[in-house]
Amino acid sequence: MARKIAVLLDDLVNEQEFIYPYYRLREAGFESVSVAAEKRVYKGKNGVPFAPDAVIGDVIAGEFDGVIVPGGYAPDNLRRNKAMVAFVHDLCSKGKVVAMICHGGWVGISAGIVKGRKLTSTVAIRDDMTNAGVVWVDQAVAVDANLVTSRSPADLPDFMREVLKFLAVTA
């Protein structure tokens, strides 16, 4: 049975940051599951439609080996959903990989998992990250224990290489 990784979904997700991890995980033999607040069609920043595989009310964090939080402006919606925030917090507290790219750090802030950690994000939320207690670095990927973070779509190869490396070690 393939190990399951959630890829969070909401309107205005950055399509590259959603699609690349979703299919890269499948290529590596994982079951990637897009998880959204409700069963409906979501539109990315550029209008690409996505239908989720599951809704947050039907998933159990203990059945997943990690979560990817793509950027765009979707994290602004995701962080307002208590079940999404609890899901991310639960996975982090269990030592599972929590990978956030671009604006994805907003979800980590709301989940209370970033304080004191060495992370990166898009520069647009650098102040949010540092105000939440992050030691912010400007680099393609930052790994701090089970948190993997990157800045933008240009960093996706480095981002996913580190996510997959973490998953291989915890197999």
Side-chain angles (χ1 to χ4, degrees):
M1 188 166 152
R3 295 168 64 197
K4 288 174 29 174
I5 311 297
V7 183
L8 302 187
L9 175 63
D10 209 311
D11 284 320
L12 301 176
V13 70
N14 179 297
E15 287 94 344
Q16 295 165 307
E17 295 169 358
F18 176 79
I19 293 168
Y20 187 101
Y22 185 86
Y23 287 106
R24 183 65 189 92
L25 286 163
R26 286 186 174 203
E27 180 184 49
F30 294 91
E31 178 185 354
S32 54
V33 179
S34 60
V35 178
E38 54 191 56
K39 200 76 163 168
R40 66 174 177 84
V41 174
Y42 292 84
K43 289 203 175 170
K45 282 176 65 176
N46 296 305
V48 176
F50 298 102
D53 299 319
V55 294
I56 192 66
D58 295 338
V59 298
I60 299 165
E63 296 176 355
F64 287 82
D65 292 291
V67 61
I68 306 282
V69 184
Y73 298 113
D76 195 25
N77 292 325
L78 294 167
R79 69 181 174 163
R80 298 175 203 200
N81 183 304
K82 290 181 188 205
M84 289 284 187
V85 170
F87 181 77
V88 170
H89 182 271
D90 197 22
L91 286 169
C92 185
S93 69
K94 289 177 171 51
K96 304 298 183 177
V97 68
V98 176
M100 302 171 287
I101 187 167
C102 193
H103 287 79
W106 275 340
V107 176
I109 290 169
S110 294
I113 62 171
V114 300
K115 187 174 184 179
R117 307 294 281 276
K118 183 179 176 184
L119 307 174
T120 194
S121 66
T122 177
V123 73
I125 67 164
R126 177 184 181 167
D127 289 347
D128 301 309
M129 298 288 277
T130 57
N131 289 335
V134 168
V135 177
W136 193 87
V137 294
D138 185 10
Q139 56 194 52
V141 65
V143 179
D144 188 322
N146 61 324
L147 299 185
V148 178
T149 54
S150 282
R151 303 168 299 192
S152 71
D155 300 329
L156 280 164
D158 296 321
F159 178 70
M160 286 308 298
R161 187 171 20 265
E162 292 300 327
V163 168
L164 292 170
K165 187 186 301 181
F166 182 91
L167 290 168
V169 170
T170 60

